[in-house]
Amino acid sequence: LEPFRELPSIGPFILFSNAAVAFLLNVAAVFLVGVGSGLVLTLAGVFKDILLITGSVLLFGSPITPLQVFGYSIALGGLVLFKTSGGK
């Protein structure tokens, strides 16, 4: 319960603005699924993960293993294949 003890120091503005951003992210996901498909949402999530890991490595020097690089290369290859094959 230690993180919850810090809530008063954060303040209600940060708490509610974070909740609003999370809500708007869910609304955007609903519209994305409506326009495309559930697969498009999943592929967007994979792309987001790749960007987050790349940013973490470049900005913070986080270590990654060759197996992780291989796995995300497969994911990126799948994204490119899906895009170039004309998938919706």
Side-chain angles (χ1 to χ4, degrees):
L1 295 175
E2 185 63 33
F4 293 108
R5 293 190 181 114
E6 297 296 322
L7 282 177
S9 66
I10 293 173
F13 175 74
I14 298 293
L15 183 65
F16 288 119
S17 62
N18 190 18
V21 168
F23 174 76
L24 291 174
L25 178 65
N26 286 330
V27 170
V30 167
F31 284 121
L32 182 64
V33 170
V35 170
S37 66
L39 179 62
V40 171
L41 182 64
T42 302
L43 292 174
V46 169
F47 185 64
K48 177 198 69 157
D49 290 342
I50 291 171
L51 288 178
L52 283 171
I53 290 170
T54 303
S56 175
V57 168
L58 293 176
L59 293 176
F60 304 117
S62 300
I64 54 172
T65 66
L67 183 61
Q68 290 170 318
V69 172
F70 179 69
Y72 277 105
S73 297
I74 290 173
L76 186 60
L79 279 171
V80 170
L81 186 63
F82 177 77
K83 187 65 177 170
T84 57
S85 70
K88 182 178 177 188

